[in-house]
Amino acid sequence: MGSVQIVTTILAAAITAVAVWLAARAVMKIVAVIRLGRPDPERFADRGARTRTMLAETAGHTRMLRWTVVGAAHWFVMVGFIVLSLLVLEAYFEVVSPTGGLPLIGGLAVYGLVTELIAVLGVVGILVLIAIRVRNRPTRPGGRSRFTGSTMWQGYFVEAVVLAVLIMGFVIRGFKVATDHFEYPVWATPVSHAVGALLPDWSAGVSIAALIKIAISMTWLIVIALNVTMGVAWHRFLAFFNIFFKRDPGRVGSGLGALRPMMSNGKPLDFEEADPEKDQFGVAQVEQFTWKGLLDFSTCTECGRCQSQCPAWNTGKPLSPKLLVLSLRDHAYAKAPYLLAGGGKDLTGEEKATAAQLAHLDVLALAEADKPLIGGAEDGGVIDPDVLWSCTTCGACVEQCPVDIEHVDHIVDMRRYQVLIESSFPSEAGVMLRNLENKGNPWGAPQNTREDWTKGLGFEVPRVGEVDDFEYLFWVGCAGAFEDRAKKTTRAVATLLNEAGVKFAILGEGETCTGDPARRIGNEFVFQMLAQQNVETLNEAFEGREKSTRKIVATCPHCFNTLGNEYGQLGGEFEVVHHTQLLAHLVSVGKLTPVQPVDGGVTYHDPCYLGRHNRVFAAPREVLGSAIGGGAGGRGGAASISGAGRDSGLVEMPRNSERSFCCGAGGARMWMEEKIGKRINVDRVEEAMSTKARTIAVGCPFCSTMLSDGVNGKGAGEQVEVVDVASVLLRSVKPDAAGEKGTAAGR
């Protein structure tokens, strides 16, 4: 060992020791913070499915590859980080000896080839990611960036380190080539040999380059160890765990669909026995999130995918799912010293720690502990109320997050405390909640008018109790029973079912609101009151039937989602289909035959709670494909969701299917005034109108209302019509009987 190698070995050992010690301390801090969260025992179930899902999402990059270029570049960088860690290990042998290398595999040509290929592709990948970050920098002209609010120096630092480590790998190999100590042939390592041709015959160069590589790697480790909230780096380790512990590992769209029930001490809250002094009602303090919530916050990579897809952010609202998560993360770690010292408030608001426990704490930690979780700038709140109430619960953030953060669950948990304990929510929503409690529907319409939509249909609509042999219970929903535009859809569906010979029945006045708007605004008590009433009614209607024969068809995706995904939490097990699914089936088996083509072009708006939350993309397109062609090659038109528009005559909007843009009505926003920024429905209508289609087809009464209002607001009611998929089909199946064609104005 020469003098150069003695120095490089000592320096490498010293910086590594410091880095490892700091990293171990950082890991213990992260684990301690995550363990502050509330229990969540369900996260440990079905470990086999969790393992398979985690491996598929990480090794296969199944979520990242939705964004092809970024996903591919990130995959090569990720693989490079994992595999080329062996080259960092090899550098420790090289600081000791210029001819050093990994034992066993170090001299294998296949090892040289694989590491060379991964290093080359890693360099290309990281350069692509750097270019994308620079192109989308927040300071660029032309609008908001998905990186707005991200800690940009951290991103640049991590990317620079990756690039430098990869380059130094080629430099080390190049010096080995130049000194004739390289064990791999040219065919396996052509880039290394090319670099070697440019370098001098300097044996000390190998050890010095290896030291530089180790120093860069350990500097990275030291920096992230001193910044435990540096998600852009820590996600490399935490993402595996966050994906493993996702809510529904076997379900596409985990974290969407059903909301989690309100939990207290790891168990669903029973309102009949709940005590506000002993049981947790929503989330009022950051430590009241579950440990999975705190893991979510720690894992955020600040990539901004959620932000770029969020309808609130895109229309000038203060909500960014990314910034919300980052605020909660920073608050949790700043408050952690106080909590880890025994501090915290009990459910009555009393301090749990003694004065002695808190005496040694930093004043900043104590100040952080005094911050309200929800509050305006004047209150020093962590999350502004306008941020909390801007969410439509559309799920675009959850859909796009590459590390499976469950934003919607966390937002609703905070809303639950605000509504149930603080009684703090937008005033206009109070009318809706009172109507739900007193009238059983958000509009406050008399219950005895629920069946008025059946008048003048020309056939009898059977009621449950009057007939026993129905195949489907037709869940009309509040909008379908009371809202004029939605009643046209209800009548169209009933007419089509009757035409197809489907035996169905309705509950009529026995039906009440499913409770969706109450649950998503945060009033779990009203939701459970309505849901338990409906579950009892439905169980009675289906008495004696197996689940497979307890079939419900719903026209509202919010009812569809609640009945099918959430009533099981309360003992209601039903087979629920959306009306577009049933109509697509009836068309495919020939029970409904479109004959009249639809003129003027059709574009389809995917409702969030039908598409993204429940993965129903093809059925509405199949129905529209049949109707547009008047039955000529209709079904084939939706064979490919992304290409359905081109194949079937359906003109797709740029944002469609799982990336569909919200109408603005979800999350109980239907009953809240939109006072900040551009109206979400107007943004979506402008996109729909850009397709030049004369018909905007929808599959949701909320979407119908919002988009119709947007069309009318643009003064285009005479040129563009908003109409449900069922009405489009009815016009094609029974042109003379379709009746109310009208315009988007609902004439």
Side-chain angles (χ1 to χ4, degrees):
M1 181 185 292
S3 58
V4 171
Q5 283 71 41
I6 292 173
V7 173
T8 56
T9 300
I10 293 172
L11 291 176
I15 192 171
T16 301
V18 172
V20 170
W21 178 74
L22 289 173
R25 190 182 67 169
V27 168
M28 288 189 290
K29 181 174 182 179
I30 292 171
V31 171
V33 170
I34 291 170
R35 293 185 64 185
L36 289 169
R38 295 293 191 257
D40 198 352
E42 294 179 359
R43 303 287 180 170
F44 295 93
D46 204 355
R47 298 186 183 187
R50 293 183 181 280
T51 302
R52 289 190 297 273
T53 300
M54 183 269 290
L55 291 174
E57 288 195 21
T58 53
H61 255 43
T62 52
R63 294 174 75 87
M64 283 293 293
L65 285 173
R66 295 173 181 176
W67 304 86
T68 311
V69 173
V70 175
H74 190 276
W75 187 86
F76 288 121
V77 172
M78 181 201 72
V79 172
F81 176 79
I82 295 172
V83 176
L84 299 184
S85 295
L86 291 173
L87 295 184
V88 176
L89 177 60
E90 187 173 30
Y92 285 93
F93 293 89
E94 292 162 340
V95 295
V96 176
S97 169
T99 61
L102 284 179
L104 300 179
I105 64 173
L108 299 176
V110 66
Y111 171 72
L113 173 63
V114 170
T115 51
E116 183 94 348
L117 181 62
I118 290 174
V120 170
L121 294 175
V123 169
V124 173
I126 198 64
L127 288 174
V128 168
L129 294 181
I130 290 171
I132 290 172
R133 187 178 295 273
V134 171
R135 188 184 66 193
N136 290 282
R137 65 193 184 281
T139 56
R140 84 197 197 291
R144 287 179 165 183
S145 161
R146 66 183 176 93
F147 292 117
T148 298
S150 298
T151 314
M152 293 301 288
W153 76 262
Q154 295 179 354
Y156 290 131
F157 170 75
V158 168
E159 288 164 347
V161 165
V162 171
L163 182 60
V165 167
L166 290 169
I167 290 173
M168 290 310 301
F170 286 116
V171 172
I172 294 170
R173 286 185 164 187
F175 274 119
K176 283 189 171 183
V177 171
T179 56
D180 201 23
H181 291 143
F182 196 48
E183 58 267 64
Y184 304 114
V186 175
W187 66 264
T189 54
V191 177
S192 297
H193 278 272
V195 173
L198 302 175
L199 295 176
D201 181 357
W202 183 35
S203 59
V206 174
S207 297
I208 293 173
L211 174 63
I212 294 172
K213 181 172 183 176
I214 291 171
I216 293 170
S217 300
M218 292 305 107
T219 298
W220 175 81
L221 192 57
I222 290 169
V223 170
I224 74 168
L226 296 174
N227 293 273
V228 290
T229 59
M230 193 171 174
V232 70
W234 281 106
H235 84 276
R236 295 182 176 200
F237 310 105
L238 298 177
F240 298 99
F241 300 98
N242 211 52
I243 294 169
F244 180 87
F245 289 115
K246 68 196 294 187
R247 174 143 59 96
D248 303 302
R251 181 182 187 272
V252 178
S254 174
L256 298 173
L259 280 175
R260 283 170 53 81
M262 196 156 73
M263 309 291 285
S264 180
N265 297 315
K267 298 178 181 179
L269 189 66
D270 184 346
F271 277 96
E272 293 184 2
E273 301 178 2
D275 181 351
E277 294 188 2
K278 298 178 180 178
D279 291 300
Q280 181 179 322
F281 282 65
V283 169
Q285 304 289 335
V286 72
E287 65 271 20
Q288 291 177 350
F289 286 106
T290 67
W291 61 262
K292 174 57 168 66
L294 295 175
L295 178 58
D296 272 356
F297 309 152
S298 303
T299 308
C300 179
T301 124
E302 304 189 24
C303 68
R305 289 287 171 212
C306 57
Q307 182 171 286
S308 68
Q309 299 295 300
C310 178
W313 178 259
N314 277 284
T315 53
K317 315 291 189 294
L319 168 63
S320 156
K322 178 187 72 178
L323 298 181
L324 179 141
V325 166
L326 297 186
S327 296
L328 293 171
R329 179 198 68 188
D330 294 345
H331 173 58
Y333 280 87
K335 189 178 180 180
Y338 160 78
L339 296 171
L340 293 171
K345 303 291 194 300
D346 63 21
L347 294 174
T348 64
E350 295 296 319
E351 176 60 59
K352 293 186 288 187
T354 64
Q357 287 176 298
L358 303 180
H360 68 285
L361 285 181
D362 185 276
V363 65
L364 295 178
L366 293 172
E368 197 72 29
D370 287 335
K371 287 184 178 181
L373 190 65
I374 306 298
E378 66 280 3
D379 303 314
V382 178
I383 303 298
D384 191 276
D386 284 334
V387 170
L388 185 68
W389 297 111
S390 291
C391 179
T392 67
T393 69
C394 71
C397 49
V398 180
E399 172 75 31
Q400 293 301 328
C401 181
V403 293
D404 286 303
I405 293 171
E406 296 162 0
H407 313 73
V408 172
D409 285 343
H410 304 320
I411 288 171
V412 172
D413 272 339
M414 290 186 284
R415 285 182 171 187
R416 284 166 169 166
Y417 181 83
Q418 293 301 304
V419 172
L420 293 172
I421 302 300
E422 296 291 337
S423 295
S424 176
F425 51 88
S427 57
E428 60 268 29
V431 177
M432 177 269 292
L433 290 172
R434 288 192 294 273
N435 285 336
L436 287 177
E437 288 191 73
N438 300 327
K439 298 290 187 178
N441 69 84
W443 283 274
Q447 187 71 356
N448 60 11
T449 63
R450 268 197 181 268
E451 300 179 34
D452 284 0
W453 65 270
T454 64
K455 296 176 181 178
L457 274 177
F459 59 90
E460 190 69 25
V461 177
R463 279 75 175 165
V464 172
E466 297 176 3
V467 293
D468 297 322
D469 62 342
F470 60 90
E471 182 181 4
Y472 287 94
L473 188 151
F474 181 14
W475 186 272
V476 176
C478 299
F482 301 122
E483 206 274 330
D484 288 340
R485 283 169 287 207
K487 282 195 281 188
K488 295 178 183 179
T489 301
T490 308
R491 291 167 64 87
V493 171
T495 302
L496 289 166
L497 296 182
N498 182 70
E499 179 74 12
V502 175
K503 294 182 178 180
F504 70 96
I506 63 171
L507 288 172
E509 294 182 26
E511 182 180 302
T512 191
C513 180
T514 61
D516 164 85
R519 183 168 233 198
R520 277 152 184 79
I521 202 174
N523 198 325
E524 185 75 4
F525 176 78
V526 171
F527 164 73
Q528 290 202 20
M529 177 186 72
L530 294 168
Q532 287 169 353
Q533 178 182 336
N534 282 325
V535 167
E536 183 178 338
T537 300
L538 289 167
N539 283 340
E540 183 179 340
F542 288 121
E543 189 173 4
R545 296 194 187 193
E546 298 292 328
K547 180 184 177 182
S548 61
T549 61
R550 295 157 68 93
K551 298 180 181 179
I552 299 174
V553 57
T555 57
C556 175
H558 298 263
C559 296
F560 166 68
N561 178 68
T562 304
L563 293 166
N565 295 329
E566 297 184 342
Y567 274 18
Q569 299 169 1
L570 300 169
E573 297 290 338
F574 314 109
E575 291 288 338
V576 187
V577 299
H578 189 251
H579 71 285
T580 58
Q581 293 175 297
L582 180 53
L583 294 178
H585 169 71
L586 295 174
V587 171
S588 71
V589 298
K591 291 188 176 181
L592 291 173
T593 304
V595 293
Q596 178 67 48
V598 177
D599 297 327
V602 178
T603 190
Y604 174 64
H605 163 79
D606 288 274
C608 300
Y609 273 84
L610 182 64
R612 197 155 36 236
H613 279 276
N614 285 283
R615 324 311 294 180
V616 179
F617 300 117
R621 289 171 168 82
E622 291 174 1
V623 174
L624 292 171
S626 296
I628 291 168
R635 283 187 67 214
S640 166
I641 293 175
S642 62
R646 291 183 294 275
D647 294 340
S648 67
L650 188 68
V651 185
E652 291 284 9
M653 288 183 251
R655 295 176 290 191
N656 65 78
S657 302
E658 70 274 2
R659 293 187 197 169
S660 178
F661 197 70
C662 183
C663 74
R669 290 292 322 176
M670 180 84 169
W671 292 275
M672 293 183 242
E673 186 56 42
E674 201 168 342
K675 301 174 182 177
I676 304 173
K678 184 179 181 180
R679 295 184 68 88
I680 294 172
N681 61 330
V682 171
D683 190 292
R684 185 57 166 170
V685 161
E686 288 174 352
E687 184 174 8
M689 291 177 62
S690 72
T691 67
K692 307 301 182 184
R694 290 182 58 85
T695 300
I696 303 173
V698 297
C700 172
F702 291 1
C703 296
S704 177
T705 296
M706 298 298 285
L707 297 187
S708 293
D709 288 349
V711 167
N712 292 334
K714 299 290 291 183
E718 295 294 331
Q719 294 80 42
V720 180
E721 179 183 16
V722 178
V723 64
D724 191 88
V725 171
S727 295
V728 175
L729 180 62
L730 181 61
R731 294 174 189 175
S732 184
V733 171
K734 300 183 69 176
D736 297 332
E740 309 151 303
K741 192 165 181 178
T743 67
R747 297 176 308 169

